[in-house]
Amino acid sequence: MNFLRIFFDSFRLLRKCPRFFIPKVLIAFFFFPIFILLPYFLIEIDITSPASLVRLDPVKLIGIMMQLIFILIYTFMVYLIDSFIVNPMYPLLVQQYYKDKKINFSKAFISVVRRFGTIFPAVLAMAIIVFAALMPFIFMIVSAILFQNEFLLYISIITAFFSVFIIFILFYLIYPISSLEKFSFVNAIKETMSSSLKYKADIAKAFFISI
């Protein structure tokens, strides 16, 4: 697995077959309201200066957080479609292209549905692990804001970032393995973590490019 070769091969593939963009363009369309509303609320709480969060009026902060919760629920719904349907389709679409020189969205979708017994629990298990790993940091960040502890806020943000980095590496290959390989979901998780650790250096590069 060579990161640069895969990186440039992906661009060449998109150039040869622009239809690969279609599912992600649709997902981006549904994410568009989030990109408009979320920055507005982040500006309201001045996210550029974490220290300012601990000085916000608690009533104003709670009001903004309630609106952010509705945005997060909508985001979660779109994320589910992206995670459990669109993302698992891509390894199958790439496989179709290299085999037949064309892609078929309906065929890829049917394949995802047929493999749903593996894909769904594997991705769900990953999501639960991510949630469980990040919850302590979310609690720490909220506590730091409510108790106006600037030091705790910085420590929470830094440790949360490194936790996301580790999780990204461990589960980077979840979609190709769960979509293409005939594993049970438990073996899909094990193979994902084993393969991801094997190529951790290249996956780490992908992480820093993605941010």
Side-chain angles (χ1 to χ4, degrees), residues 8-25:
F8 288 113
D9 282 351
S10 298
F11 276 104
R12 280 193 287 267
L13 190 61
L14 289 170
R15 188 184 62 205
K16 290 179 181 178
C17 185
R19 291 182 66 218
F20 275 110
F21 283 110
I22 293 175
K24 284 299 182 180
V25 168

Side-chain angles (χ1 to χ4, degrees), residues 20-60:
F20 275 110
F21 283 110
I22 293 175
K24 284 299 182 180
V25 168
L26 290 173
I27 290 295
F29 172 79
F30 288 108
F31 271 124
F32 184 73
I34 302 164
F35 298 143
I36 300 297
L37 295 172
L38 191 57
Y40 169 77
F41 290 115
L42 293 180
I43 290 171
E44 283 287 298
I45 61 175
D46 193 11
I47 196 67
T48 57
S49 175
S52 68
L53 293 176
V54 299
R55 294 191 291 269
L56 270 178
D57 176 58
V59 176
K60 181 180 179 182

Side-chain angles (χ1 to χ4, degrees), residues 89-136:
M89 285 174 60
Y90 270 94
L92 297 163
L93 292 171
V94 172
Q95 185 183 58
Q96 286 177 11
Y97 182 81
Y98 281 116
K99 184 179 179 180
D100 304 321
K101 295 301 178 183
K102 60 182 180 179
I103 59 176
N104 187 314
F105 292 116
S106 60
K107 186 177 179 181
F109 175 77
I110 291 170
S111 296
V112 168
V113 172
R114 287 175 178 170
R115 294 282 298 155
F116 206 66
T118 296
I119 294 170
F120 178 77
V123 177
L124 181 62
M126 178 193 70
I128 291 172
I129 292 170
V130 170
F131 179 78
L134 294 183
M135 272 306 295

Side-chain angles (χ1 to χ4, degrees), residues 130-199:
V130 170
F131 179 78
L134 294 183
M135 272 306 295
F137 302 112
I138 294 172
F139 177 77
M140 288 168 64
I141 291 170
V142 172
S143 298
I145 294 171
L146 292 177
F147 292 103
Q148 301 184 344
N149 190 323
E150 188 175 336
F151 176 75
L152 178 61
L153 182 63
Y154 280 109
I155 293 297
S156 302
I157 292 172
I158 292 169
T159 51
F161 174 82
F162 282 106
S163 297
V164 170
F165 173 68
I166 293 169
I167 292 168
F168 183 92
I169 289 178
L170 288 176
F171 294 103
Y172 185 77
L173 298 175
I174 187 70
Y175 290 111
I177 288 175
S178 61
S179 298
L180 299 175
E181 303 294 340
K182 295 183 178 180
F183 291 127
S184 66
F185 88 91
V186 174
N187 289 332
I189 291 288
K190 290 180 180 178
E191 184 64 24
T192 294
M193 296 177 70
S194 174
S195 299
S196 295
L197 287 173
K198 182 179 179 181
Y199 300 109

Side-chain angles (χ1 to χ4, degrees), residues 54-74:
V54 299
R55 294 191 291 269
L56 270 178
D57 176 58
V59 176
K60 181 180 179 182
L61 183 62
I62 291 172
I64 292 173
M65 284 186 169
M66 289 301 295
Q67 295 175 83
L68 284 173
I69 287 172
F70 286 108
I71 295 174
L72 291 174
I73 291 171
Y74 173 79

